[in-house]
Amino acid sequence: MRHLFKASLAVFFKDLRSELRTRYALNALLLFAASTAVAVSLGVGGFLGIQRDNEALLIQSALLWIALLFAALNGLARSFIHEEETRTTLGLRLAAPALAVYLGKFLFNLVLLVALDGVTSLLFIVFVHIEVGNVGLFVALMAAGNLCLATATTILAAIIARASFKGTLFAVLAFPLLVPPLIVAIQGTAPALAGAPWSTGYDALRALLAYAVATFVASLMLFRFVWDS
Amino acid sequence: MTNLQLDISDVSASYGARTVFHRISLTLRHGEVLVVSGANGSGKSTLLRVLCGLQKPADGTVRYCWNGTSHAPRDASHLIGWVSPDLSLYRELTGDENLRFFAAVRGLSLGADGIDGLMAQVGLGGRGSDRVSAYSSGMAHRLRYAYALLHHPPVLLLDEPTVTLDERGAGVVESIIEAQRQKGIAVVATNDPRELRYGDYVLTLGAG
């Protein structure tokens, strides 16, 4: 167990070091987030940000989560694809326990998503002028939503890394997996923007955490077969 | 002395409808070196991939018996060191960082001296802090040997062992193979006739 923990951290820090040197995923994620925030700002930011009715808050929430989803789809698959494209997978398969590879890459994707969340939320606050009424609930929902995105995209990335049409396959597989938690996250975040109390977000938080745990456990069981195939 | 045996039993491999090799059976014991030769496409690299568990055979079994315990290749990665032109290490990391990473995921605690010693053994002494992207193809191949020898494996599988290496590099490989006789067994896949001398046995695979 201790070896698994250390090996997972080794995979995580290796990916982090590689990413900081190559900016393989980071640039794509940040550029996508920035261009989405600017486009939304120029398109609807002038009137959407100042409105606080339920429909406007729901649209703000939807735009924020859609920006996060597409940035995540654009960048998070790359940790596995990069290993495959640079042909480092074989050495990793021989040396590392399969579970450590999954856990390390999951952690790396989660850290990337947290950074992306911070930047995207800030850009939306600045450019789209959204206001966060209940910061604690907003952060909790973002964290739970991130867990959902990271668990689902990590296992999907492992599945599609060796496929010929990676982009298409990733989008097709991601759609049914990511739409349910996305709907819950959008509907849960709108009251958080309005400044509603914590109790209004409990159902959404519970649903997102349940989804994340279920996907994570299924991924742990599935990953070895994906990795060894 | 450790007890090591590699049993290959009726192993076949194929890609789609094309059979690469059919029903290979042999046993290798501690201290023995097998050279696998044959033309391009005869299945040398495929056989080595099957032996290290990176590819499943179409038929047959491979077992490593190590101190009374039998392991399938996929569960014997701690016993196996694999060197191949197909093996790529992380180009954005330095040679030392690569070795430290692979030591960590294997659960080894290898200090700076251990890394330096390994780099010196493969002829990369003093170049450990350079990124792999700055290595020549020969240096990158030497680093593959460091990767393979990191955990002192009793089984060494070498695919095209001296490809891209200069004469000194070829000498390093020869000394590694000789040292492997003391540690366990080696399987060398090559189509260079000069390398047939490494083997106690030569298995020649037919083309196609």
Side-chain angles (χ1 to χ4, degrees), chain B residues 35 170 174 178 181 192-200 202:
Chain B
V35 170
E174 187 162 1
E178 282 312 308
R181 288 183 187 277
D192 184 340
R194 289 170 299 179
E195 290 169 357
L196 297 181
R197 64 192 160 86
Y198 295 146
D200 301 302
V202 175

Side-chain angles (χ1 to χ4, degrees), chain A residues 3 6-8 10-12 14-15 17-19 21-22 82-83 86-98 100 224 227-229, chain B residues 49 52-56 74-75 77-78 80-82 85-94 97 101-108 131 147:
Chain A
H3 167 49
K6 282 187 170 179
S8 306
V11 173
F12 166 70
K14 184 270 293 174
D15 277 0
R17 181 174 278 137
S18 293
E19 184 56 43
R21 288 184 186 167
T22 61
H82 187 58
E83 298 266 8
T86 54
R87 295 171 42 183
T88 49
T89 312
L90 295 177
L92 193 58
R93 274 174 69 192
L94 263 188
R224 171 145 199 185
W227 187 239
D228 286 345
S229 66
Chain B
R49 278 170 173 252
C52 65
L54 288 171
Q55 185 169 332
K56 285 182 182 151
R74 197 64 197 98
D75 300 319
S77 57
H78 60 293
I80 299 169
W82 179 61
D86 293 339
L87 171 69
S88 293
L89 301 176
Y90 296 97
R91 290 174 55 80
E92 61 274 19
L93 303 184
T94 67
E97 286 169 345
F101 166 66
F102 284 111
V105 294
R106 282 193 181 275
L108 309 170
R131 287 194 192 181
Y147 158 88

